Amino acid sequence: MSQRYTITSLGWLLGERQCFSPHQDQRPDPQDISLLVIHYISLPPENFGGHYIDDFFQGKLDISQDPYFEEIKALKVSAHCLINRKGEITQYVSFNDRAWHAGVSQFQDREKCNDFAIGIELEGSNNYPFTEQQYKTLASLTKAIMESYPKITKDRIVGHSDIAPERKIDPGRYFDWQHYFTLLD
């Protein structure tokens, strides 16, 4: 049986790890949450585990820890949630608020997807398959999001590459869309 998640009226997951990100603000229209964007992240690239993603989303990344961190030190980025390789969730931003995950983006002739999207990061890269536990957690979380934000339907779930194709490739070649959508049924 899959995990069932509960989202409070304030947009927070009950009982899941929270790590507040300052890289967020209010949505222009909180009633218009209507898109789910799936991403991947690993810090340093191709390395899994540790605290660097938390540090990055909190603006506390120690650039002396890896040469790559110098390249991203000025970025102010966040996602609503991260699902690590074990399938554990960390929430950084309330779903009701605007996380800074999509950047320059467009979906169905609408720009600024952060205004109306929820962003979920999977710990991973374009060089490794995602874990089964990540898929199960993502599917269960997606069901809870769709229940709380009914404007998000299956046809409004996309990858970062779908809304920013000139800039992004995530969730990448190893993300199994068919498997994910099967788990949603």
Side-chain angles (χ1 to χ4, degrees), residues 141-150 152-154 157 184:
L141 178 57
T142 299
K143 290 176 187 178
I145 289 170
M146 292 171 73
E147 187 176 302
S148 294
Y149 304 92
I152 297 176
T153 56
K154 277 184 163 182
I157 299 173
L184 288 180

Side-chain angles (χ1 to χ4, degrees), residues 110-129:
R110 259 184 98 182
E111 296 183 349
K112 299 180 181 177
C113 292
N114 284 338
D115 290 353
F116 56 95
I118 289 174
I120 305 296
E121 294 274 4
L122 298 174
E123 186 178 33
S125 76
N126 200 40
N127 296 314
Y128 295 94

Side-chain angles (χ1 to χ4, degrees), residues 30-48:
Q31 304 306 310
D32 186 32
I33 301 170
S34 58
L35 186 68
L36 178 62
V37 181
I38 300 172
H39 307 260
Y40 68 60
I41 188 170
S42 59
L43 288 178
E46 309 299 324
N47 287 271
F48 305 133

